[in-house]
Amino acid sequence: MNTAPAEGLRRMRTPSPDPKVGRTARPLRILFTVNDLRPGGGQVRILRTCETLVARGHRATVATVWRDTPGSLWDRFASTASRVESLRLRRSLLPMAVIHLARLIRQERIDVIHSTNTSWDLRLGLLGSALTRTPLVNTFTSMHFSSVDTRRARIERRLERGRIAIAICLSPAVVDSWRPYLADLGLTDDRIRIVSPGLPSFPLDEHAASHARAKVRKTLQIGPKTPLVLNTARLTQGKGHMELAEAFRRVLGRHPNAVLAIAGDGELRSNLEQRIRETDLGRRVRLLGYRTDVPDLLAAADLFVFPSHGEGFGNAAAEAMAAGLPVVAYDIQALRWYCRPGEAGELVPRGDVEALAEAVAGLLDDPDRRTALGSRGRYIISTEHSSAAVADELERIYADLAL
């Protein structure tokens, strides 16, 4: 991988062409703690990890902190993991949730607990590890490290110190963001790993891709040659959807027939709908809501745009690259790690709507450049950030701790 600010840390190695290399001597039993199973980037990342590890003969158990919610990924997790349990945490009944978790760890003979830096699944992972003496791995995903030094924060850090065996960060940007916290916990560089989420390899079956493209475009009621720009992200603060709407309004000045499709849902949907009405974009912008057919949407699109203001990794942009789409995005550290400017995409200054519009319009003008960027992006993801590479690295981490 290319160099990054977090020098000296261990990163994923390129997977060996021999499928037996990197495999462990015995099946491992991993417990993943997760806040909830609502559709989201973190949940999908854990689901993919479970699927890959199970396919390699390991056992994955999932403990969700909060109660299941409508529209969750419970069924998909249940079809993959050997066991999915809800701890049904209520703060007044925290001891019961901890007891439930400890019992689960012992019943499943868990080798390693793997939590994430969302507050409650990390807390329960720490408590479960302490009660059962099971090694704990924690993945740091976001860029939202809080430096607020409250009494509660100091107490929590004191309890966490020495409990996390290995810290996994999704990118060098995450390491840099969390460096003060990691140092406070005594996590030196030899106990920090940079491991990206692991992206699926979308098939190169041209017939299947052509069929998906035609199907999606028919549903959207657009022609086979209509320029289609795609964004997939939760409609939430920081994802840049308002700026995207304004940028696309400017793009239409050069490409009046272009269509922007936004897949995702969230609390800002009504605000975005209002902005689209106010700028008379209703006929050219399609809000698709939450979708389970993202690979088909990517096959149908000509260009992916991702104006997020901050990401720990940026799964959506990486998925687009894995599907062979060129990416236009804001120039943030996490994306620069793999979506290299001018090589796999166009990165513009964060918040610069004019530059965003110009980059999108410029690539719509130049199909040959779109193809070149898309091909290079697909190569980068398939060789450096694939599910196989991630599984190899996680197996090594788990196996070292399970000895």
Side-chain angles (χ1 to χ4, degrees):
M1 292 185 181
N2 58 329
T3 58
E7 296 294 340
L9 299 179
R10 286 177 55 182
R11 295 179 171 83
M12 295 190 309
R13 287 167 269 184
T14 302
S16 167
D18 182 352
K20 294 181 181 179
V21 174
R23 299 297 175 88
T24 57
R26 66 170 177 84
L28 298 168
R29 298 176 292 270
I30 312 302
L31 170 66
F32 294 90
T33 60
V34 55
N35 259 15
D36 56 58
L37 299 185
R38 293 179 302 168
Q43 289 84 346
V44 171
R45 173 180 55 80
I46 294 169
L47 177 61
R48 284 180 182 154
T49 301
C50 290
E51 290 171 342
T52 306
L53 291 174
V54 168
R56 293 184 172 208
H58 305 298
R59 285 174 61 86
T61 301
V62 177
T64 176
V65 175
W66 305 107
R67 291 178 180 269
D68 193 26
T69 57
S72 78
L73 298 172
W74 184 281
D75 290 343
R76 292 185 62 185
F77 272 95
S79 68
T80 299
S82 60
R83 185 171 173 181
V84 181
E85 289 280 333
S86 174
L87 303 177
R88 300 187 176 187
L89 175 66
R90 290 190 299 174
R91 288 174 179 82
S92 60
L93 294 176
L94 175 60
M96 296 302 297
V98 174
I99 291 170
H100 187 170
L101 179 61
R103 185 182 298 122
L104 178 64
I105 293 168
R106 292 189 176 105
Q107 287 175 348
E108 295 295 315
R109 295 183 297 157
I110 297 299
D111 293 308
V112 178
I113 302 169
H114 195 152
S115 61
T116 307
N117 64 287
T118 47
S119 57
W120 279 103
D121 75 72
L122 172 55
R123 287 170 185 158
L124 287 176
L126 288 162
L127 291 169
S129 173
L131 286 174
T132 63
R133 297 185 178 180
T134 305
L136 176 68
V137 173
N138 187 75
T139 293
F140 294 85
T141 63
S142 70
M143 301 290 291
H144 302 304
F145 167 68
S146 173
S147 59
V148 176
D149 191 23
T150 63
R151 182 172 181 272
R152 176 178 172 177
R154 289 195 298 272
I155 292 173
E156 288 192 346
R157 284 199 293 274
R158 193 176 303 125
L159 293 173
E160 294 165 10
R161 196 169 292 127
R163 292 291 182 191
I164 299 175
I166 296 291
I168 292 176
C169 295
L170 294 188
S171 71
V174 175
V175 177
D176 290 345
S177 176
W178 286 84
R179 180 71 76 179
Y181 178 90
L182 297 173
D184 196 25
L185 296 189
L187 287 164
T188 50
D189 283 356
D190 62 317
R191 292 170 58 195
I192 301 171
R193 307 284 189 274
I194 298 177
V195 183
S196 57
L199 278 296
S201 297
F202 293 106
L204 284 172
D205 186 331
E206 292 185 9
H207 176 75
S210 178
H211 176 74
R213 181 180 177 90
K215 179 183 68 174
V216 169
R217 285 172 170 262
K218 182 178 180 180
T219 301
L220 296 178
Q221 298 182 323
I222 62 175
K225 295 186 178 180
T226 299
L228 179 59
V229 178
L230 178 66
N231 168 269
T232 63
R234 291 180 67 179
L235 304 184
T236 189
Q237 200 68 36
K239 296 296 184 180
H241 286 106
M242 297 300 184
E243 295 155 52
L244 174 57
E246 173 57 26
F248 192 70
R249 185 183 67 80
R250 303 183 188 195
V251 168
L252 291 174
R254 281 165 59 178
H255 296 274
N257 295 325
V259 169
L260 169 64
I262 300 175
D265 216 338
E267 64 272 14
L268 294 185
R269 183 183 180 107
S270 60
N271 300 53
L272 184 57
E273 288 173 336
Q274 181 178 349
R275 176 65 62 86
I276 290 170
R277 287 194 300 269
E278 290 173 350
T279 51
D280 198 27
L281 291 173
R283 296 181 57 210
R284 312 313 307 172
V285 178
R286 315 291 167 81
L287 299 184
L288 307 182
Y290 172 71
R291 300 288 290 246
T292 59
D293 61 342
V294 171
D296 288 351
L297 296 177
L298 292 170
D302 299 302
L303 175 65
F304 190 83
V305 62
F306 193 63
S308 177
H309 284 251
E311 297 286 331
F313 181 74
N315 279 31
E319 285 183 0
M321 290 171 59
L325 274 184
V327 172
V328 173
Y330 282 156
D331 189 359
I332 57 177
Q333 185 185 353
L335 266 61
R336 181 174 278 270
W337 184 38
Y338 58 87
C339 186
R340 297 158 198 167
E343 184 178 354
E346 298 288 355
L347 302 184
V348 303
R350 184 167 52 184
D352 190 336
V353 173
E354 182 62 40
L356 187 69
E358 177 59 33
V360 171
L363 283 179
L364 291 180
D365 287 337
D366 191 345
D368 289 341
R369 180 160 173 74
R370 291 203 309 269
T371 299
L373 291 174
S375 297
R376 180 58 181 166
R378 184 184 179 92
Y379 176 80
I380 290 171
I381 296 300
S382 65
T383 57
E384 300 179 15
H385 300 279
S386 67
S387 295
V390 169
D392 284 350
E393 189 66 16
L394 290 178
E395 279 183 331
R396 284 188 281 265
I397 292 170
Y398 297 152
D400 288 345
L401 294 176
L403 292 177

